[in-house]
Amino acid sequence: MRVNKKYSCLPAEEKGIHIINIRAIEDIGYDQHESTLLNSLSKNPDADCKYGLYFRDGKRKVDYILVYHYKKSSAGRTLTRRVHHNDSSARSTKQDQPLPGKGVHLEMRESEPHVDYHEDDKRFHREEYEGNLVEAGLELERDEDTKIHGVGFVKIHAPWHVLCREAEFLKLKMPTKKMYQINQTHGLLKKINSVIQKITEPIQPKVAEHKPQTVKRLSYPFSREKQHLFDLSDRDSFFDSKTRSTIVYEILKRTTCTKAKYSMGITSLLANGVYSAAYPLHDGDYEGENVEPNDRKLLCEEWASYGVFYKYQPIDLVRKYFGEKIGLYFAWLGVYTQMLIPASIVGIIVFLYGCATVDENIPSMEMCDQRNNITMCPLCDRTCSYWKMSSACATARASHLFDNPATVFFSVFMALWAATFMEHWKRKQMRLNYRWDLTGFEEEEDHPRAEYEAKVLEKSLRKEHKHKETDKEKLTWKDRFPAYLTNFVGILFMVGLTFAIVFGVIIYRISTAAALAISSTPSGRSSVRVTVTATAVIINLVVIIILDEVYGCIARWLTQIEVPKTDKNFEERLIFKAFLLKFVNAYTPIFYVAFFKGRFVGRPGDYVYIFHSFRMEECAPGGCLMELCIQLSIIMLGKQLIQNNLFEIGIPKMKKFIRYMKLKRRRSLDHEEHMKKKQRYEVDYNLEPFAGLTPEYMEMIIQFGFVTLFVASFPLAPLFALLNNIIEIRLDAKKFVTELRRPVAVRAKDIGIWYNILRGIGKLAVIINAFVISFTSDFIPRLVYLYMYSENGTMHGFVNHTLSSFNVSDFQAGTAPNDPMDLGYEVQICRYKDYREPPWSENKYDISKDFWAVLAARLAFVIVFQNLVMFMSDFVDWIIPDIPKDISQQIHKEKVLMVEVFMREEQGKLQMLETWKDKDKKKGENCNNHSPRLPRSHSGSLSSCHSYPLDV
């Protein structure tokens, strides 16, 4: 008869003892081996197990937690125990050990209603899966007597032999006994480094891992055959909690539950609700008076606090606690924030230069001079009247703050800054790889995702049904073609939706401007442009923030229907789709203002209309650069402030408050559970699950685009990015330490696809800034006027040169102003910004030669600027080596030392073998020399002589 073990717990009232129930379930056909869930007895179990950090025996550390929901009956329960084969004495002496699989049969007969089939199915899957975990060598302990009603926890511990086995499989580099001296700088460099260390000492975190090291342990991939190489004096701390949880997670991923229709790993079990959560535990509490020192508390004090915003991050401790992947993210964010400091300083200098020279700018002075009496053509049909150019004086002066020769220099500087930042990060990454023993680490192909395996199984079953013999199945492009088509159509639709929304905002701007122009109040008319621009940008901001969340969900759904094979493939495809959609969403309104607004307006008497009634927008007399600056600054600052404050702080706190209210309601129903102190795994269960680093990276990459792509129009962008990132680092740190469950540590040697995206943005920034300077700003028209048309070599007359004339008698019927005498005099000629022939010319209103001269200069500038800056960026890339010289020397030194260690080991083995051979030879000679003289009764001594080497 096949015996299966069913785990359930007795109520705590039964003598305070936690007993695991075993029930025979014959119809499942499941046979579990010897070890089962562990069951411990203790007088004060919570104190012994440090409130959930250890098993009930207080010795075995909890490495991982599985959480499940069960239906808890309030009916009374009675326990009947049947002992077979006279094993009662054996049972009483082994209360703290795993229940034996043979000889003991416990049965709980409960007077409770029958649980539905779905719950039974989940329970059977859990039993099989946990039995397979036990077979894999893990030790389990169940706890259903918790403060959270209806939630059970399975604690998992990996014993020493399992840790060693899995560390060898995973090729984990572990520190050996061999230590070596790290090469130190000498002479002047040593003195400079010591001075820098003393200066920066106040901003260094007070963490042991952050102190400069002079010696380092030699690391080598762990091997059970070479355990003598490693320092195993303290086995409890040899594998830290991060490594232990990684090992357990690898076992959880490859262990399957085969009783279902298809093989189910931990990801499928979580997706199907068999388990509700799986996570490693935090090291302990981070606040309180009697909290024991732990890494989490140290991180909270020295990293996740706004009071230490001026300090360096303890990156090594972050890596030790959260793993390499998260450590690399925060290291990259720290390097990016540091590099923003020089960019911010230069941006402030450029802005101050614009402020200092605004009164010396001749074009803006001419625009503000009322004596020029330049009458401009109406901005809209019928309702708008003629206006004086001097009324746009404030806009012209403000434009000079961002549209001056220094912005060209700043664009070149930021292109070189981006290249330097990428090279600096590569060098920093190599240093971290050396310090974290990741040199030579290659990511192996991950386990196939559960969804992929399910699709493959479904495909193989279809072919088996058609009686086709097939080899091992896999998904081809034909299987994925419907998903690819859906992706293509879906992305096109989303991009089209973004364009449609931007077009809708354009219609809003045009119609609102026309409506406000009808206003009879002079103040209303004067503030039309500002009002329309501000409200339109706010609408754009709200739409961008909403669509950001929508596009994130759509990108995940589109990636899921593709069914990528591994988690890495899934993550890369998700990143690409999400970045594409969010990039288009964030930058489309800015691209419109920079490159399309005011380009397709037409001219007075022949304007371009939308829907035959709305005239296309025009740029302000000072150009569209000022409006581009307003658009960029509001969207950038709004996204950062709203997403940081609302989404990253407000929503998690709101979720936490909702969970707290639910728990409070449950506690009021069960006063006895309320009186218990929460275990560590119960506290962590109430935290938010870790959702990956993609949202964190995405936020910073979009910000990097704001800093680099349109920096010619907004030199203060690096400063606002710097201020945001100083808060962002501590905000993310606080979230990881206090708000989220501890994520599984993942090994990684770089930031993956994000580096390629950064390089792409850096290259694109050069092209976009070249077009912004040449087409959006007035930099090129000024140069052309200064060197081709200026009579005295100054900018006097530039404004008049850029304006064309129009005879008001040439207005189309029904488009002339309703009140032509609004300015107090009759207007015969009005001016508009364009390069066209005057009305008294033979080819009146045709494009003039000046237009083609300016266009040629603009295109030439784009070509020269782009190639020059690209060459300089590539030169910076080439001249700075990717691997620092000292790190390459240390890596080479490690290899040499490792060879020496193995050579000594081999020499020691050879010497030992030679010594044994010499002893064997001498013994043999002695025995042969004395054997004739020995009496027959001592013949046994000969055999003993020859057996000596065997004994050794």
Side-chain angles (χ1 to χ4, degrees):
M1 176 179 176
R2 303 183 73 179
V3 179
N4 294 287
K5 298 175 190 176
K6 169 133 172 68
Y7 314 123
S8 64
C9 300
L10 285 176
E13 294 83 2
E14 302 251 350
K15 301 180 182 180
I17 298 174
H18 193 73
I19 301 178
I20 297 174
N21 172 49
I22 302 175
R23 185 185 302 167
I25 302 176
E26 300 179 7
D27 55 341
I28 298 178
Y30 165 65
D31 188 15
Q32 185 176 315
H33 292 284
E34 299 228 351
S35 289
T36 64
L37 294 177
L38 298 176
N39 156 33
S40 303
L41 304 175
S42 176
K43 293 181 181 178
N44 189 4
D46 287 345
D48 290 345
C49 68
K50 295 186 179 179
Y51 294 99
L53 288 173
Y54 287 82
F55 274 23
R56 288 290 176 182
D57 57 12
K59 297 177 181 178
R60 287 167 295 178
K61 185 176 177 63
V62 176
D63 299 319
Y64 219 88
I65 291 291
L66 299 178
V67 187
Y68 61 92
H69 288 275
Y70 66 94
K71 291 191 176 179
K72 195 172 184 180
S73 175
S74 59
R77 299 179 181 180
T78 59
L79 176 68
T80 63
R81 186 174 66 181
R82 296 185 304 182
V83 182
H84 297 281
H85 306 297
N86 298 322
D87 279 346
S88 58
S89 60
R91 173 70 183 88
S92 64
T93 59
K94 296 185 178 181
Q95 290 179 343
D96 292 336
Q97 301 300 322
L99 294 176
K102 299 176 182 178
V104 177
H105 185 89
L106 296 180
E107 181 178 330
M108 184 188 296
R109 294 175 180 172
E110 307 169 22
S111 56
E112 61 180 14
H114 179 69
V115 183
D116 60 23
Y117 172 78
H118 190 57
E119 288 297 320
D120 278 343
D121 193 46
K122 287 182 181 180
R123 186 171 67 251
F124 298 157
H125 286 328
R126 284 198 295 270
E127 290 170 2
E128 183 194 356
Y129 184 72
E130 290 162 11
N132 292 338
L133 291 180
V134 171
E135 288 181 10
L138 298 178
E139 297 176 0
L140 312 180
E141 185 178 77
R142 186 188 295 278
D143 184 7
E144 290 184 353
D145 187 22
T146 62
K147 200 171 184 179
I148 305 174
H149 185 81
V151 176
F153 297 88
V154 177
K155 295 173 275 187
I156 303 177
H157 168 77
W160 173 256
H161 71 278
V162 173
L163 294 172
C164 293
R165 181 191 71 205
E166 297 298 324
E168 187 172 347
F169 291 167
L170 295 173
K171 300 177 182 176
L172 296 180
K173 272 191 172 183
M174 304 302 294
T176 63
K177 297 176 184 177
K178 175 71 176 175
M179 301 182 71
Y180 68 94
Q181 196 79 17
I182 297 176
N183 293 338
Q184 300 294 321
T185 55
H186 300 285
L188 182 62
L189 285 176
K190 186 177 181 180
K191 292 180 181 178
I192 293 173
N193 286 338
S194 63
V195 171
I196 292 174
Q197 285 179 6
K198 288 180 181 177
I199 293 173
T200 59
E201 188 175 356
I203 60 175
Q204 299 290 346
K206 297 176 182 178
V207 175
E209 286 80 359
H210 197 77
K211 294 178 180 178
Q213 297 178 347
T214 56
V215 293
K216 185 178 183 291
R217 286 190 179 273
L218 195 63
S219 295
Y220 185 73
F222 188 81
S223 172
R224 287 172 288 181
E225 293 180 356
K226 299 185 183 299
Q227 287 193 32
H228 57 279
L229 294 177
F230 303 94
D231 184 11
L232 303 178
S233 56
D234 185 6
R235 290 190 172 188
D236 293 336
S237 62
F238 183 73
F239 294 106
D240 56 16
S241 58
K242 163 186 69 75
T243 308
R244 296 175 71 99
S245 63
T246 303
I247 288 173
V248 173
Y249 183 64
E250 286 296 323
I251 298 174
L252 292 175
K253 280 201 297 185
R254 71 165 184 260
T255 303
T256 57
C257 174
T258 57
K259 286 293 183 293
K261 294 180 182 178
Y262 56 90
S263 179
M264 299 174 71
I266 185 62
T267 50
S268 296
L269 294 172
L270 288 168
N272 292 320
V274 177
Y275 291 103
S276 58
Y279 52 89
L281 292 179
H282 279 292
D283 279 359
D285 291 325
Y286 59 90
E287 58 184 359
E289 296 179 357
N290 300 321
V291 176
E292 294 183 4
N294 58 71
D295 288 342
R296 188 188 187 194
K297 186 174 186 295
L298 188 59
L299 282 171
C300 189
E301 293 171 352
E302 294 295 328
W303 182 51
S305 171
Y306 296 110
V308 294
F309 72 92
Y310 60 92
K311 289 188 176 183
Y312 285 102
Q313 299 182 85
I315 293 297
D316 291 322
L317 184 58
V318 174
R319 173 253 177 181
K320 178 185 174 185
Y321 193 79
F322 291 110
E324 286 79 6
K325 193 169 185 178
I326 293 175
L328 281 171
Y329 164 70
F330 281 103
W332 173 83
L333 184 55
V335 169
Y336 172 47
T337 305
Q338 288 175 11
M339 289 293 292
L340 282 172
I341 295 174
S344 302
I345 293 172
V346 176
I348 292 171
I349 292 172
V350 169
F351 179 73
L352 292 177
Y353 169 81
C355 294
T357 58
V358 68
D359 292 329
E360 302 171 5
N361 183 40
I362 295 173
S364 61
M365 290 170 62
E366 287 184 348
M367 289 181 66
C368 294
D369 191 356
Q370 296 184 1
R371 293 173 299 176
N372 289 335
N373 197 26
I374 299 176
T375 303
M376 303 297 293
C377 294
L379 295 174
C380 62
D381 293 342
R382 296 187 300 275
T383 55
C384 298
S385 185
Y386 305 106
W387 55 285
K388 293 282 190 181
M389 173 168 272
S390 57
S391 64
C393 175
T395 306
R397 289 174 63 85
S399 296
H400 178 72
L401 301 178
F402 306 101
D403 188 4
N404 56 69
T407 56
V408 180
F409 157 75
F410 190 55
S411 299
V412 177
F413 170 81
M414 286 304 293
L416 298 179
W417 172 88
T420 307
F421 162 60
M422 300 305 294
E423 290 304 308
H424 179 45
W425 167 243
K426 281 197 288 188
R427 290 169 65 84
K428 177 71 172 179
Q429 193 170 254
M430 283 306 302
R431 289 189 181 278
L432 294 176
N433 285 343
Y434 165 71
R435 264 164 44 193
W436 296 349
D437 298 320
L438 292 172
T439 52
F441 167 71
E442 295 294 337
E443 292 185 18
E444 298 180 358
E445 188 174 355
D446 202 356
H447 301 285
R449 296 173 65 247
E451 292 83 354
Y452 179 84
E453 289 183 335
K455 276 285 184 183
V456 169
L457 180 64
E458 184 182 334
K459 181 181 177 181
S460 60
L461 289 175
R462 281 201 309 265
K463 291 200 172 183
E464 285 178 8
H465 182 68
K466 295 178 181 178
H467 305 288
K468 291 183 179 180
E469 292 184 3
T470 56
D471 297 331
K472 188 176 180 181
E473 291 293 339
K474 63 179 182 180
L475 296 184
T476 61
W477 69 270
K478 292 181 181 179
D479 301 315
R480 291 193 173 104
F481 181 74
Y484 289 154
L485 184 61
T486 306
N487 271 261
F488 180 73
V489 174
I491 290 174
L492 278 184
F493 176 76
M494 293 300 122
V495 172
L497 176 64
T498 304
F499 289 161
I501 290 172
V502 172
F503 184 73
V505 174
I506 294 171
I507 299 296
Y508 162 80
R509 293 160 68 117
I510 296 170
S511 57
T512 306
L516 290 175
I518 303 174
S519 173
S520 58
T521 58
S523 60
R525 296 180 197 173
S526 62
S527 60
V528 167
R529 193 179 294 275
V530 176
T531 305
V532 170
T533 301
T535 54
V537 172
I538 292 171
I539 292 171
N540 273 327
L541 174 63
V542 173
V543 170
I544 286 171
I545 291 173
I546 293 172
L547 287 184
D548 256 0
E549 302 303 314
V550 174
Y551 286 168
C553 299
I554 290 174
R556 179 169 291 276
W557 176 74
L558 290 174
T559 309
Q560 286 173 347
I561 64 174
E562 278 189 47
V563 196
K565 184 175 181 180
T566 62
D567 287 331
K568 184 179 179 182
N569 291 342
F570 181 88
E571 185 180 19
E572 288 181 350
R573 295 185 185 193
L574 173 62
I575 289 169
F576 174 74
K577 293 181 185 65
F579 173 74
L580 178 63
L581 293 174
K582 293 189 177 186
F583 182 89
V584 171
N585 180 42
Y587 295 114
T588 299
I590 300 171
F591 269 93
Y592 164 72
V593 174
F595 302 122
F596 296 100
K597 185 179 179 181
R599 309 291 172 192
F600 312 102
V601 177
R603 61 169 179 81
D606 188 21
Y607 283 114
V608 177
Y609 290 91
I610 302 174
F611 304 133
H612 303 288
S613 56
F614 296 110
R615 220 171 81 185
M616 288 293 291
E617 290 183 287
E618 296 182 44
C619 288
C624 278
L625 196 70
M626 187 61 201
E627 189 171 343
L628 176 62
C629 174
I630 295 171
Q631 184 106 0
L632 188 67
S633 58
I634 292 179
I635 291 177
M636 179 182 177
L637 296 177
K639 269 179 65 68
Q640 290 181 350
L641 291 175
I642 294 175
Q643 286 188 334
N644 286 353
N645 294 327
L646 181 62
F647 293 162
E648 294 196 19
I649 298 177
I651 292 179
K653 288 191 178 297
M654 186 174 66
K655 288 182 178 179
K656 193 175 181 180
F657 177 75
I658 292 171
R659 286 196 303 269
Y660 170 76
M661 294 304 294
K662 287 182 179 178
L663 288 174
K664 191 175 181 181
R665 194 178 299 118
R666 288 175 181 172
R667 289 171 190 169
S668 63
L669 296 175
D670 195 339
H671 179 71
E672 193 169 319
E673 288 185 353
H674 175 64
M675 297 305 293
K676 299 176 189 173
K677 179 178 172 64
K678 275 191 177 182
Q679 303 289 328
R680 176 78 263 151
Y681 43 85
E682 296 177 82
V683 176
D684 286 2
Y685 176 69
N686 291 325
L687 299 176
E688 278 289 302
F690 175 62
L693 289 171
T694 300
E696 314 298 335
Y697 271 116
M698 190 67 70
E699 182 184 342
M700 289 296 105
I701 296 296
I702 296 296
Q703 185 204 82
F704 183 77
F706 282 121
V707 168
T708 55
L709 291 179
F710 297 94
V711 74
S713 63
F714 190 39
L716 295 179
L719 174 64
F720 290 117
L722 173 65
L723 297 176
N724 173 78
N725 288 3
I726 291 173
I727 301 171
E728 179 74 19
I729 290 175
R730 307 303 163 180
L731 180 66
D732 284 347
K734 197 172 187 65
K735 182 170 66 175
F736 272 82
V737 174
T738 64
E739 301 282 343
L740 298 179
R741 293 175 191 160
R742 188 174 183 177
V744 179
V746 178
R747 287 188 298 169
K749 62 186 301 183
D750 52 40
I751 59 175
I753 193 175
W754 296 111
Y755 181 80
N756 298 328
I757 293 175
L758 285 169
R759 284 189 67 86
I761 291 176
K763 299 293 184 186
L764 184 63
V766 177
I767 301 170
I768 289 178
N769 280 304
F771 277 94
V772 168
I773 293 169
S774 61
F775 284 91
T776 308
S777 75
D778 283 336
F779 178 73
I780 300 300
R782 287 172 186 169
L783 284 181
V784 172
Y785 176 79
L786 185 64
Y787 292 107
M788 291 182 63
Y789 299 103
S790 177
E791 297 178 355
N792 52 8
T794 64
M795 293 301 296
H796 288 288
F798 170 73
V799 174
N800 187 60
H801 176 74
T802 59
L803 297 176
S804 298
S805 300
F806 178 75
N807 192 330
V808 297
S809 62
D810 294 330
F811 272 122
Q812 290 181 356
T815 61
N818 295 332
D819 186 10
M821 300 294 292
D822 186 56
L823 293 178
Y825 57 88
E826 186 179 359
V827 178
Q828 299 292 333
I829 300 292
C830 67
R831 310 295 297 275
Y832 61 98
K833 191 171 183 179
D834 204 349
Y835 291 101
R836 291 183 180 269
E837 296 290 344
W840 51 84
S841 172
E842 293 181 2
N843 304 315
K844 63 178 184 178
Y845 307 133
D846 284 352
I847 294 174
S848 66
K849 294 180 181 179
D850 298 343
F851 172 82
W852 298 111
V854 172
L855 180 62
R858 282 172 164 166
L859 293 175
F861 176 83
V862 169
I863 295 170
V864 172
F865 181 89
Q866 176 185 335
N867 287 280
L868 178 63
V869 175
M870 287 281 192
F871 170 76
M872 295 170 69
S873 300
D874 291 339
F875 180 73
V876 169
D877 192 356
W878 172 76
I879 202 171
I880 301 175
D882 293 346
I883 305 176
K885 187 177 180 181
D886 59 324
I887 295 299
S888 61
Q889 290 175 350
Q890 296 291 353
I891 293 172
H892 177 70
K893 186 177 181 179
E894 277 197 352
K895 292 179 180 178
V896 172
L897 288 173
M898 205 71 244
V899 171
E900 288 180 1
V901 168
F902 285 117
M903 289 298 293
R904 287 176 187 171
E905 188 179 357
E906 289 295 321
Q907 289 173 0
K909 288 180 181 179
L910 290 173
Q911 289 176 0
M912 189 177 294
L913 286 173
E914 288 175 1
T915 304
W916 286 351
K917 286 179 181 179
D918 291 342
K919 287 183 178 181
D920 184 20
K921 188 176 180 181
K922 288 179 181 178
K923 280 288 182 182
E925 289 176 357
N926 291 337
C927 291
N928 289 331
N929 291 336
H930 294 287
S931 59
R933 300 174 187 177
L934 289 174
R936 183 175 288 275
S937 61
H938 296 113
S939 60
S941 64
L942 182 63
S943 63
S944 66
C945 289
H946 286 291
S947 66
Y948 176 75
L950 295 176
D951 295 339
V952 173

